[in-house]
Amino acid sequence: MKNLSAIIFAIIFLTIAGSSNVLADSCKNVKFTVRNDRNGDIEIRKVSYFNQNENRWQDEDVPNTLILRGQTKTFGKEDLGDSEGDNITKLKFVYEDKNSRDTRESAVFMPTSPRCVAEKNFGYGQGWAITGSSPVKEADGFLSGDACKNVVFNYTNGRSGEIKVKSVKYYNRNSGDWKTEDVANEITSQGAKGATNTDDLGDAEGDDITKVIFIYEYKSTQRGANWTDPIESKIFVPTDPKCREGKVYGFGQGWTIGNEINTEDTGDSASLNTDKFEPKTGVIDPIKQAGGEVKPIAYKTPTATKSASLIYFNYGENSEFTKFFQDTLHVKKAMEGYQRVVLIKPNDLPSWADLSEADEKNADLILPPTKDNFFNQIKDLAAKGYYIDIYIFSHGWNDQFGPKNNDSQVITAADITSRLSKFSTMFTAMPIRTIWGTNCYGSTLATEWHSIGAKTVAGAKYVNFYPNSYGNFIGDWNQGNVSFNNSVSGSDTALVRTAVQAYITADAMTTRGDWGGCPLLSGITVLGNHACAKDYFVSEWLDANEWKSSMSGKDNMNNSSTMIITGDKTLTKNSKPSW
């Protein structure tokens, strides 16, 4: 019997060894290409890859590879064991943060061409980037890393007097921080172009500076006028945000500080908030042009005496939100009690939206979910004397929201500040009372919404695992006397969380082949604080830098879904603000 077993084993071995798909074959000389978009240098130590054919994660140690911040590097000539001809569908990098000396793990990357063959370069041409920021700070308060040297900011003085730029605030998208850089107090005359002195922006070399604010003082032309207290300009958005040595921001963009001529300026800072006019740098009244004189255009103040609901529903597909809404999502409740309702939606809605054809007839206007319709209706409602509550039911990402499968219709932070600016609307502000949405990362748009007039905004910190909290929110808000703050804060209940956490637990079980799974028969789930919780959430939902290692999976869901409320939190549905 023993000899027979040996013969059978030999036959099986020879059959396998002679086949074209040998289990022991390695995928030879594999390389990887990745960019370091963190705020400091990193050193790659290991690559983890998911072999779809084998249905398991495997690790490959690589020679320690230093990648400087902002640098893209191709490295490795590694043999991936038992992977020749197989599909490598997911990869992640284990690296050391050279600032903090912490060992970290990147987000999961998905090759567009997963088949592994000799000399394969995973990541080539895909723009894979390791992101996030280091917790280590130097004595000056900045995160350690290279400064972006000799940076200049160009501007034009659009006020009816002199301005003196004191400092520049800038938003570093890579680190997620606003920082302020003091500049020389250069005085710029009315209508003149100015530029800051060259400055080094701490910890910004190779990073994207996506928002800029000038802090300046103003002195009107009136006799005896004094310099005002510091004033913040509007937000400017660079068309080329990448910071590098010698960078000039605002070049060719016509950034105008102030953008107002106030015929009633007295020189004190309070008057600056009621400016009504625009100097015509680029927008000129042709009637007054004959003598070279430019007439400022008067902006309108919105009357905003009637209430309107603007509902934007645009997931673009039957998405994972279908599973999150364990009961119906009463969209129709966002139509109650308003003097005008605009419904922007696709032709068909999923059943969980709970909006029948009869319900839809309660809307005053129904339009397809396009970017143009969204912005045009905000402007139209403002022109007709309404103040607006905006309800967003869509996907979301950093600084944008909209459908998942139609990039051309995704609404970005730059869209908000450009399409709803004074230049575009001819209003001093857009009369938006509140904004609430299911969109992930909704909080990243708060600055832009407030800059064009929104009174209060609620948006998720990261991924919004609890869009079903809408039911509690709208119920409280519709009472009329419950504050926006209390309506939002009280909506995320244990019942809401439990329903979604049950789904997450089931999803983790059915997808365990994608991310590795928790130990079977152990009773451990991804809601706990076992290492498998991080494997699941970072693989399927969160970026690696959004995961909090001190928290359980459940607590990470709660943290990620936190609705951050900004602006006037005391407003109720009965409130009538002014702009």
Side-chain angles (χ1 to χ4, degrees):
M1 197 60 149
K2 181 178 178 181
N3 292 337
L4 180 60
S5 297
I7 293 170
I8 292 172
F9 176 80
I11 292 172
I12 293 172
F13 178 81
L14 291 171
T15 302
I16 294 173
S19 69
S20 60
N21 186 20
V22 180
L23 290 177
D25 280 354
S26 296
C27 191
K28 304 281 188 184
N29 298 327
V30 175
K31 297 182 285 292
F32 307 92
T33 298
V34 69
R35 176 181 173 82
N36 174 15
D37 266 350
R38 290 180 62 80
N39 64 333
D41 302 340
I42 63 174
E43 189 172 82
I44 304 293
R45 300 291 181 83
K46 184 169 64 176
V47 178
S48 297
Y49 59 97
F50 184 78
N51 186 322
Q52 187 179 56
N53 299 61
E54 297 292 324
N55 195 31
R56 63 190 175 104
W57 282 93
Q58 296 172 249
D59 292 334
E60 183 69 28
D61 291 330
V62 297
N64 293 350
T65 303
L66 180 66
I67 307 180
L68 303 180
R69 59 177 297 165
Q71 181 184 65
T72 299
K73 181 169 283 190
T74 298
F75 61 92
K77 290 197 73 172
E78 308 301 320
D79 297 345
L80 304 189
D82 192 30
S83 297
E84 177 64 26
D86 290 353
N87 286 330
I88 305 302
T89 55
K90 300 178 184 180
L91 293 104
K92 52 190 176 182
F93 301 93
V94 177
Y95 62 93
E96 180 186 272
D97 182 316
K98 302 303 286 185
N99 284 334
S100 65
R101 300 297 179 184
D102 291 338
T103 299
R104 296 170 177 261
E105 193 175 87
S106 74
V108 175
F109 301 102
M110 297 184 182
T112 52
S113 174
R115 186 176 176 79
C116 197
V117 294
E119 308 295 333
K120 179 80 172 187
N121 188 340
F122 284 106
Y124 178 76
Q126 285 197 248
W128 288 357
I130 296 175
T131 60
S133 59
S134 170
V136 176
K137 293 190 177 181
E138 294 180 339
D140 61 2
F142 286 119
L143 292 167
S144 9
D146 294 338
C148 190
K149 296 183 180 297
N150 300 323
V151 176
V152 172
F153 296 88
N154 281 353
Y155 59 88
T156 298
N157 176 12
R159 299 216 58 85
S160 57
E162 296 176 323
I163 65 171
K164 182 164 52 177
V165 175
K166 307 281 288 182
S167 55
V168 178
K169 289 173 65 175
Y170 59 95
Y171 182 74
N172 185 324
R173 183 167 60 189
N174 297 67
S175 66
D177 293 327
W178 280 96
K179 295 178 183 176
T180 301
E181 182 69 29
D182 292 335
V183 297
N185 298 331
E186 296 289 341
I187 296 176
T188 306
S189 301
Q190 176 182 341
K193 295 180 186 266
T196 63
N197 53 295
T198 57
D199 280 278
D200 297 346
L201 305 190
D203 186 42
E205 176 63 28
D207 290 354
D208 288 336
I209 305 303
T210 55
K211 303 172 191 176
V212 175
I213 295 173
F214 294 93
I215 299 174
Y216 66 98
E217 295 177 356
Y218 163 70
K219 185 167 72 172
S220 76
T221 56
Q222 294 184 2
R223 180 177 298 177
N226 297 315
W227 288 102
T228 68
D229 292 333
I231 305 157
E232 285 196 0
S233 74
K234 72 174 187 180
I235 296 173
F236 298 97
V237 179
T239 53
D240 176 17
K242 189 71 66 184
C243 198
R244 44 194 173 266
E245 186 170 357
K247 175 77 173 185
V248 180
Y249 283 103
F251 180 76
Q253 288 193 249
W255 288 359
T256 302
I257 293 179
N259 280 342
E260 304 95 359
I261 295 176
N262 186 348
T263 56
E264 299 178 356
D265 268 342
T266 62
D268 62 68
S269 58
S271 68
L272 301 177
N273 296 322
T274 57
D275 295 337
K276 302 293 192 294
F277 299 98
E278 182 71 32
K280 293 294 91 200
T281 50
V283 184
I284 296 175
D285 183 340
I287 298 175
K288 297 291 182 181
Q289 197 57 33
E293 195 177 322
V294 178
K295 176 184 177 182
I297 293 179
Y299 289 110
K300 295 174 286 187
T301 300
T303 54
T305 57
K306 301 172 289 184
S307 64
S309 169
L310 176 62
I311 302 169
Y312 173 84
F313 192 107
N314 193 14
Y315 290 101
E317 62 177 13
N318 194 17
S319 70
E320 64 266 17
F321 278 91
T322 304
K323 304 162 188 173
F324 280 4
F325 291 121
Q326 301 294 320
D327 49 14
T328 52
L329 173 71
H330 302 291
V331 173
K332 61 188 175 187
K333 288 187 177 294
M335 303 167 69
E336 294 179 5
Y338 292 96
Q339 291 163 284
R340 183 171 178 81
V341 174
V342 176
L343 180 58
I344 297 176
K345 71 169 194 69
N347 288 332
D348 298 316
L349 291 181
S351 59
W352 47 264
D354 190 32
L355 197 63
S356 67
E357 290 184 14
D359 296 324
E360 290 182 17
K361 290 178 181 178
N362 292 324
D364 297 284
L365 184 63
I366 302 175
L367 295 169
T370 65
K371 185 186 298 191
D372 287 342
N373 283 341
F374 179 73
F375 288 112
N376 289 342
Q377 286 309 305
I378 293 175
K379 290 184 279 190
D380 182 68
L381 288 169
K384 291 176 177 175
Y386 292 94
Y387 55 88
I388 313 162
D389 289 341
I390 297 178
Y391 300 91
I392 298 171
F393 301 97
S394 77
H395 290 289
W397 306 270
N398 273 300
D399 296 326
Q400 52 192 317
F401 67 93
K404 197 170 187 177
N405 57 351
N406 189 347
D407 289 347
S408 67
Q409 296 304 319
V410 168
I411 295 168
T412 68
D415 290 329
I416 293 169
T417 54
S418 62
R419 295 204 183 201
L420 298 179
S421 68
K422 293 180 181 180
F423 285 114
S424 298
T425 67
M426 301 307 297
F427 280 97
T428 55
M430 284 291 92
I432 297 171
R433 182 173 64 176
T434 66
I435 296 173
W436 183 97
T438 64
N439 47 311
C440 300
Y441 302 93
S443 62
T444 64
L445 293 164
T447 299
E448 285 73 23
W449 284 123
H450 288 303
S451 75
I452 55 87
K455 292 295 186 183
T456 187
V457 180
K461 184 177 182 180
Y462 302 135
V463 172
N464 185 4
F465 289 98
Y466 306 126
N468 54 331
S469 66
Y470 163 77
N472 292 330
F473 159 73
I474 198 65
D476 286 344
W477 179 246
N478 280 347
Q479 292 182 44
N481 60 353
V482 181
S483 71
F484 189 76
N485 181 70
N486 290 344
S487 297
V488 175
S489 301
S491 63
D492 182 6
T493 63
L495 186 61
V496 163
R497 294 181 176 186
T498 299
V500 178
Q501 288 162 5
Y503 160 70
I504 287 292
T505 302
D507 180 72
M509 288 295 293
T510 57
T511 61
R512 60 181 291 113
D514 295 339
W515 56 273
C518 290
L520 290 172
L521 305 178
S522 65
I524 294 171
T525 75
V526 295
L527 300 182
N529 55 10
H530 189 271
C532 67
K534 178 180 179 180
D535 291 340
Y536 169 72
F537 281 102
V538 171
S539 174
E540 303 295 321
W541 298 100
L542 300 172
D543 285 342
N545 62 319
E546 295 165 0
W547 175 263
K548 306 300 179 186
S549 58
S550 60
M551 296 181 179
S552 66
K554 182 188 297 185
D555 289 338
N556 268 281
M557 289 177 66
N558 299 342
N559 176 64
S560 177
S561 306
T562 299
M563 293 294 277
I564 298 174
I565 309 167
T566 54
D568 186 353
K569 303 176 184 180
T570 65
L571 290 173
T572 70
K573 194 170 182 180
N574 293 336
S575 301
K576 289 185 178 180
S578 59
W579 280 265

